[in-house]
């Protein structure tokens, strides 16, 4: 790395040696070395801890977070870099199962580093020529996987924002006057989504002024999938209240159970009533890569828009989220544009259609396409498909192993790579009919979670759901996860809960 820095040394625009640059580049080289050692090498080593737990007050003191009038020395700053890495949760660790993102892809990571280094904003071709062209290619490829030959799209800062874009564009299509006249141009609107959909649907309704009371919650079956018959009933209910149905948000891969709504049947309902059909496939969209498992999203090509987060199952790294639509009338830009004349001049010397920034509600927009593009270039579509198939295989292995062990009880058969289960400790086994059984069982997952975090051995989430007491949600999709890691997970749960 120092060789790289030495190669940077030289004269700058003012003709004077850039001592500030030299010092900064030396720090950067040494900081990168520390990052590689602490965050990458240790971060993926199963022998290392997933987290170095500290209570908030102790952690604040360890990090010395105060900001002072004077700057710190080179060595002190390097220590800061190492401490940040040391005390942060290692989401690349093979035993981090806590979120819907995990693991590391080194090509994608290189893309993230290059993106940060170039520090450009993706709104015009003049300032981001490489990335405007690259984003177009990546979006087209993702749309083709959905099943659309044509369409539009944009990279968004997360799946929640992608869902909001879907709702906003749908409202604009139904009531274009809303852009100029605001809520005065609208009747009472009605949104429909399942009981296990992502909370961002309600957040979007709140943010857009539709109101959470106007989000009609559709029943789900035992697996967590939307019931189309109840969708019809809820639409009629909304109309009877004087509301105007306009938007249905289906889910492909619910957050907790990993359930997939029946898209074809939902599309039938939307088509018959002229409603915009959006699919929140932030989690489950990557099943489209797999010939074996893409049946889970059958019918997705009939949707009007799709949200999809490659930073989840494909491990591109945060953040990498797309909003896709099959619209070909430039609806996305019409809905969001403000025509800022200092950015989007109409008399530029190149094709102004390459200035994509007015498709989004943002001004400055981070480059999120490079990490996915570079990873895709490295492993190809086949490699990404293999990654998805392996995640399914690991989830199946884990569920089968749980069925062999006493104390593990599946909430239901996994549909995706979410494995939801209770661990019933020895003291509660055979006592399911006891009056306080549910109350006692609800305390098990939080107690085990506290122990595993403080030991630093692994991390997995838990939650209650629809009257079910706290259960673990194990997410198995990181490419770094092996069957050995899954065996360790089961053994560690047994060990941590043996005396409860």
């Amino acid at each position: 790395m120092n060789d790289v820095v030495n190669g940077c040394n030289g004269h700058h625009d003012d003709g004077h040696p850039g001592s500030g640059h030299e010092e900064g580049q030396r720090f950067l080289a040494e900081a990168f070395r520390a990052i590689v050692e602490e965050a990458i090498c240790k971060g993926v080593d199963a022998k290392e801890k997933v987290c170095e737990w500290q209570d908030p007050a102790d952690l604040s003191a360890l990090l010395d977070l105060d900001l002072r009038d004077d700057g710190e020395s080179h060595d002190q700053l390097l220590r800061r870099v190492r401490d940040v890495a040391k005390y942060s949760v290692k989401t690349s660790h093979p035993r981090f199962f806590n979120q819907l993102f995990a693991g590391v892809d080194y090509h994608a990571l290189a893309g993230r580093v290059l993106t940060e280094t170039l520090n450009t904003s993706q709104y015009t071709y003049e300032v981001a020529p490489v990335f405007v062209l690259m984003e177009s290619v990546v979006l087209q490829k993702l749309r083709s996987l959905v099943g659309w030959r044509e369409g539009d799209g944009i990279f968004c800062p997360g799946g929640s924002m992608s869902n909001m874009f879907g709702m906003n564009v749908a409202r604009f299509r139904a009531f274009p006057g809303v852009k100029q006249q605001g809520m005065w141009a609208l009747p009472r609107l009605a949104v429909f989504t399942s009981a296990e959909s992502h909370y961002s649907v309600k957040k979007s309704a709140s943010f857009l002024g539709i109101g959470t009371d106007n989000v009609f919650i559709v029943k789900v079956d035992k697996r967590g999938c939307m019931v189309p018959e109840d969708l019809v009933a809820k639409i009629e209910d909304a109309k009877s209240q004087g509301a105007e149905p306009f938007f249905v948000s289906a889910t492909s891969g619910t957050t907790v159970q990993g359930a997939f709504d029946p898209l074809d049947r939902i599309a039938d309902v939307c088509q018959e009533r002229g409603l915009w059909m959006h699919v929140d496939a932030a989690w489950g969209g990557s099943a489209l890569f797999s010939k074996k498992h893409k049946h889970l999203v059958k019918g997705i090509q009939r949707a009007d828009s799709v949200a999809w987060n490659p930073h989840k199952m494909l491990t591109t790294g945060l953040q990498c989220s797309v909003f896709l639509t099959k619209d070909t009338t430039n609806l996305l830009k019409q809905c969001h544009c403000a025509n800022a004349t200092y950015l989007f001049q109409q008399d530029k010397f190149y094709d102004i259609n390459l200035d994509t920034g007015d498709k989004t509600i943002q001004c400055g927009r981070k480059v999120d396409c490079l990490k996915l593009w570079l990873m895709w270039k490295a492993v190809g579509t086949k490699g990404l498909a293999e990654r998805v198939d392996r995640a399914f295989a690991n989830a199946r292995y884990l569920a089968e192993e749980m069925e062999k062990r006493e104390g593990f009880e599946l909430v239901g058969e996994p549909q995706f790579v979410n494995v939801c289960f209770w661990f019933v400790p020895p003291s509660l086994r055979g006592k399911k009919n006891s009056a306080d059984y549910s109350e006692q069982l609800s305390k098990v997952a939080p107690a085990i979670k506290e122990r595993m975090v403080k030991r630093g051995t692994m991390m997995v989430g838990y939650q209650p759901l629809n009257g079910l007491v706290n259960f673990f949600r194990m997410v198995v999709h990181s490419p770094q996860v092996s069957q050995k890691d899954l065996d360790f997970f089961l053994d560690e749960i047994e060990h941590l809960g043996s005396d409860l």
Side-chain angles (χ1 to χ4, degrees), residues 45-55 86 89-90 93 95 446-460 488-499:
D45 187 349
K47 296 177 184 176
E48 297 285 340
K49 290 184 176 182
V50 175
C51 66
E52 189 75 45
W53 172 259
Q54 300 288 335
D55 288 322
K86 178 179 180 180
V89 174
K90 308 305 188 296
H93 197 284
R95 292 167 187 170
I448 292 178
K449 176 67 176 279
E450 179 181 356
R451 291 177 177 184
M452 75 171 69
V453 170
K454 289 183 175 179
R455 281 167 57 94
T457 52
M458 58 190 193
M459 195 175 286
V460 63
F488 174 88
F489 173 82
L490 295 171
D491 291 341
E492 185 72 351
I493 290 286
E494 288 178 335
H495 173 70
L496 296 172
S498 62
D499 63 341

Side-chain angles (χ1 to χ4, degrees), residues 63-81:
L63 295 175
D64 187 13
L65 294 173
D66 287 345
L67 298 171
R68 304 179 181 88
D69 291 341
D70 295 323
E72 296 186 339
S73 70
H74 176 93
D75 289 342
Q76 283 178 308
L77 292 171
L78 286 176
R79 177 60 186 269
R80 303 299 186 208
V81 171

Side-chain angles (χ1 to χ4, degrees), residues 351-412:
D351 182 358
I352 59 173
N353 290 316
L354 293 169
D355 290 352
T356 58
D358 243 1
K359 292 181 181 182
T360 175
I361 61 172
Q362 300 167 259
C363 178
R365 185 163 67 92
K366 190 177 178 67
V367 173
D368 288 326
C369 59
L370 175 56
K371 65 198 89 170
L372 176 55
W373 179 85
L374 194 58
M375 179 182 74
W376 207 328
K377 278 284 193 180
V379 304
T381 305
K382 291 181 179 178
L384 295 177
E386 290 170 1
R387 186 169 295 178
V388 172
D389 287 339
R390 178 175 176 174
F392 273 92
N394 278 338
R396 171 46 49 198
Y397 172 82
L398 183 67
E400 289 174 351
E401 289 301 305
M402 284 182 179
E403 291 173 349
K404 299 175 185 176
R405 298 193 183 209
E406 189 177 6
F408 289 90
E409 183 180 338
L410 290 170
V411 174

